[in-house]
Amino acid sequence: MVTNQIEEAEQIIRDLENISFGGILLTVAIAWVLVALIERLFPWLATRLPTRFRFYLLPIAPVLRILILIAAGVRVVGYVIQPTMQNVFAITGAFAVAIGFAFKDYMSSIIAGIVALYEQPYRPGDWVRIGDDYGEVKSVGLRALQIMTPDDDLVTIPHSKIWDSNITNANNGSQTHQCVTEFFLHPHHNADQARAKLHDVAITSPYVNLNHSVVVVIYEKPWATRYVVRAYPVDGRMQFQFITDVTVRGKHALEELGIESVALPAHLSGDAPITPMAS
């Protein structure tokens, strides 16, 4: 029994003198150089091309990396085993079973990564929320993606999260990125006047994208009147500057009208929106 298995293995694997170790090293080196070149060239080009091209260029990089790694793996296997269809199937089956048991979670992330490349729930340049993490997708690898948070933290998230987590994509591969700025005002004020003033503040911001409309939505709460300014910056990377600009100038404009702000009660910080009064 053992002797038969040894003989079968000898029939599959080449003799050591017939294995081209130089070819294996050359294949690995070429793959490494190509992957490194892609990881540096594509982000470099993305920063120098117009913004609209960045969202088309960056998603190509992870696809090319995977194709290079697959091609290199197939080439290396060809150096080691006898190139027959039966041997290929035998090696593939044994490898799949071994990997399935030893690296179940790892393989789950890799399969999820392949699914993510097809469905594209996120791609480099997108602003996404996965679980408690929110940030810009910096890279999409075979096993995981990396996002840069507003706090400048680089977070690595396995692709397997797509099996059991909701993924919120703020711009979905485009420059369009809606920003929300909130104001909580004392209920006794002129709502038409306040809404018009906040609309003017948003539409005159140096960061606003005038190709999209600015909408002011009002919600009446028991403790305050909530104003939500929905607008779009020129680029998603300007979202925090845009929200800050609208907040600062909006507060000044409301103070000039004599409208008082109300602090948000701590126990209502996660309060869900109520049906809007106006928009």
Side-chain angles (χ1 to χ4, degrees), residues 5 9 33 54 68 70 76 92 100 106-107 114 135 150 160 188 192 201 220 246 257 279:
Q5 291 178 345
V33 170
R54 181 166 62 95
I68 290 171
I70 292 175
V76 169
T92 302
Y106 190 87
M107 290 304 297
I114 296 173
S160 58
H188 300 296
D192 287 333
V201 166
E220 193 61 59
V246 173
L257 294 176
S279 60

Side-chain angles (χ1 to χ4, degrees), residues 149-194:
T149 70
D151 295 327
D152 204 29
D153 295 328
L154 188 64
V155 181
T156 300
I157 303 174
H159 293 301
S160 58
K161 285 289 186 180
I162 69 175
W163 302 136
D164 54 17
S165 300
N166 292 333
I167 298 172
T168 303
N169 193 321
N171 59 315
N172 194 30
S174 69
Q175 293 177 258
T176 304
H177 190 129
Q178 186 184 93
C179 291
V180 175
T181 310
E182 296 182 311
F183 297 86
F184 299 92
L185 308 180
H186 193 282
H188 300 296
H189 65 274
N190 187 321
D192 287 333
Q193 193 178 39

Side-chain angles (χ1 to χ4, degrees), residues 112-171:
I114 296 173
V115 173
L117 286 174
Y118 172 72
E119 295 185 351
Q120 293 191 321
Y122 41 70
R123 67 215 81 183
D126 284 354
W127 284 84
V128 300
R129 180 179 299 280
I130 304 175
D132 295 329
D133 297 306
Y134 174 75
E136 182 182 9
V137 179
K138 305 303 291 185
S139 66
V140 178
L142 185 60
R143 185 194 69 86
L145 70 151
Q146 291 184 321
I147 66 173
M148 185 69 72
T149 70
D151 295 327
D152 204 29
D153 295 328
L154 188 64
V155 181
T156 300
I157 303 174
H159 293 301
S160 58
K161 285 289 186 180
I162 69 175
W163 302 136
D164 54 17
S165 300
N166 292 333
I167 298 172
T168 303
N169 193 321
N171 59 315

